[in-house]
Amino acid sequence: MIDQLLRAAALDSKAWPFEEARKLLERVKGKKHPMKEVLFETGYGPSGLPHIGTFGEVARTSMVRHAFETMSDIPTRLLCFSDDMDGLRKVPDNIPNKEMVVQHLGHKLTTIPDPFGKYESFGHHNNAMLRRFLDAYGFQYEFASATDYYTSGRFDKALLRALACYDEIMAIMLPSLREERSQTYSPFLPVHPESGVVMQVPIESRDVEAGTIVWRDPQSGKTYETLVTGGNCKLQWKPDWAMRWHALDVDYEMSGKDLIDSVKLASRICKVLGSPPPDGFNYELFLDEKGQKISKSKGNGLTIDEWLTYAGPESLQLFMYSKPREAKKLYFDVIPRAVDDYQAFLDAYGRQDLAQKLANPVWHIHQGSPPAPEVLVTQQDGRTQVVSFALLLNLVAVANAESKDVLWAFLKRYAPQVSPETHPRLDAMVGYAIRYFQDFVKPQKKYRQATSDERQALEDLSAALGRLPKEATSEQIQQAVYDIGRRDPYKTVQKDGSVGVSLAWFNTLYQVLLGEEKGPRFGSFAALYGIDNTRALIGKALKGDLG
RNA sequence: GGGCCCGUAGCUCAGUGGCAGAGCAUCUGACUUUUAAUCAGAGGGUCGAUGGUUCGAAUCCAUCCGGGCUCACCA
């Protein structure tokens, strides 16, 4: 049972998943008979591995689905439909055994041997990759294979209907095609009974009663009569989409804006077949840092794995939630912001009223039950403080942290009661920050070469550190740093007449040893980093191995 | 040519009818033995332009200017 207050707030919310869900509510009202279920569909072309757009589509559809479930008691299903009966047109770059796969161009993906050698076919392999990936995120969905649906006869009735509507479908499709293509176009693609190739050939005649089409093999000149049912024929893409909507009663499917015209055509065909086309909307495409569309074939932009190398899945979900109708650049630089925005939303959630909560992305990311934020410290006035990713990146850069231990030592100094056990998500974020630092920050660092004076001072510092006991405190180390610095040109005279050390000495340390303009208190750094490590760092800097 | 998106501070962007905001950057001050995951403060905008609706417009409508993406092969 859905709480009535929650339902009322959902019906009133302006957050986009609720706006979408209300469209579905209108659709339900428009039906004469009470609907048994509402079906959501996402499509997947398994000629390659799942990419970040696939993730976005499933994530966003799931958000609409959950919003709808908050508004209505009608059951819902999400069908992830894989078009694995498609003929392979191009051999993907990122697979092994390409020379084997190239022998099977034009064949159904589910009849091509798996180049990875693990599954029944290439199509099965890619389907398995999709499912593994969707399962990893805990998406609730049902998987559907086009090959299964076609061969099992599940589409037969709709296919015969499409055959009966052949002229109307052609009348819709032909004006959208160029002259040359329209000569050979057919909505039905017969599977060649001998070669297994999915044929793109004109239909010479058809028999609606028998449920067959007649076509000619352009190479042999031989004609064939093929059943449109039972998996002997596949539909060309756009009519296929329409037939599927009709056959399965799909209520909701979203797609990228590059498919706007295709959705229009398929919707018209769907109506001809006798069904209302699904609701949905066209989301904007993701761009790479240069503003170009991200596509599988180009291999530009970010992959899911790359995102998950530097941040958790929640931040990626937030990115997918935000502004689906705006083209957004998707590359490494957006990750820290997404992580920190996610934390800010999570932190705010507990303080918000119901209407605000429903407009908060974390409500949609976590199906209405976001986890509690991991608070680092609670201040006297009750305000809480969480560690931002930006902060961690800064810390990891100046501390030259290469392991979680070093970073945790800094964190614990600030909040002693916090540990990886009490704050597992923070611990994960520490790991992400270190990777981000290693891959993006460290290569950008500019280590200055030591001058001969500086070289002498650094050698003396290393020697002084070597004389300290292993368990020397940060204060003792800091004292040693000062003692070494009390020499020309760093020596200064303090107001009280004592000898001090100028800023230049510390700047030298950071520029030469850490490649930074600023840094942490050096004694603290050396104590946490380890005296031996610090001496090794000095040694490397003097040998010129850092820059 | 059709469609879609964008234009708000130096930069990146929030902000869908009610006093123009955040982060970063810049500047000032305090504090620490002179080093900052410190604290306090400041400067900085004709919200692309014009017209309209409204008591009230960055926000809604129309037109225009500028920038960009996408489709018109295949999926």
Side-chain angles (χ1 to χ4, degrees), chain A residues 319-423:
Chain A
F319 190 83
M320 294 305 173
Y321 175 87
S322 305
K323 295 179 176 270
R325 288 175 202 275
E326 279 184 27
K328 291 187 296 181
K329 289 185 178 177
L330 177 49
Y331 58 107
F332 293 106
D333 300 31
V334 306
I335 293 177
R337 171 88 181 255
V339 174
D340 285 343
D341 284 353
Y342 170 77
Q343 291 213 111
F345 283 124
L346 197 61
D347 192 41
Y349 187 79
R351 298 189 294 270
Q352 293 180 323
D353 65 30
L354 189 55
Q356 288 172 321
K357 281 181 175 170
L358 294 186
N360 188 326
V362 297
W363 190 90
H364 300 275
I365 293 168
H366 296 286
Q367 285 85 49
S369 314
E374 288 185 342
V375 172
L376 191 67
V377 289
T378 304
Q379 291 167 346
Q380 287 168 348
D381 57 6
R383 286 194 308 166
T384 55
Q385 191 181 338
V386 298
V387 181
S388 75
F389 198 49
L391 195 75
L392 277 182
L393 288 175
N394 190 8
L395 185 57
V396 97
V398 294
N400 219 44
E402 293 182 2
S403 76
K404 284 171 148 191
D405 294 345
V406 172
L407 215 48
W408 266 110
F410 277 96
L411 290 169
K412 283 196 166 182
R413 204 155 60 95
Y414 190 66
Q417 77 288 2
V418 171
S419 73
E421 287 73 36
T422 61
H423 289 57

Side-chain angles (χ1 to χ4, degrees), chain A residues 10 12-24 40 56-68 71 252 254 280-283 317-326 328 358-361 363-365:
Chain A
D12 199 45
S13 178
K14 279 184 186 165
W16 71 263
F18 291 115
E19 302 271 15
E20 289 298 304
R22 272 195 290 277
K23 290 201 296 200
L24 276 169
F40 295 80
E57 195 169 305
V58 176
R60 286 167 171 169
T61 304
S62 298
M63 288 170 186
V64 177
R65 182 187 181 193
H66 181 250
F68 180 80
M71 293 177 174
Y252 192 88
M254 58 177 71
F281 75 106
N282 293 285
Y283 52 84
Q317 290 243 46
L318 174 64
F319 190 83
M320 294 305 173
Y321 175 87
S322 305
K323 295 179 176 270
R325 288 175 202 275
E326 279 184 27
K328 291 187 296 181
L358 294 186
N360 188 326
W363 190 90
H364 300 275
I365 293 168

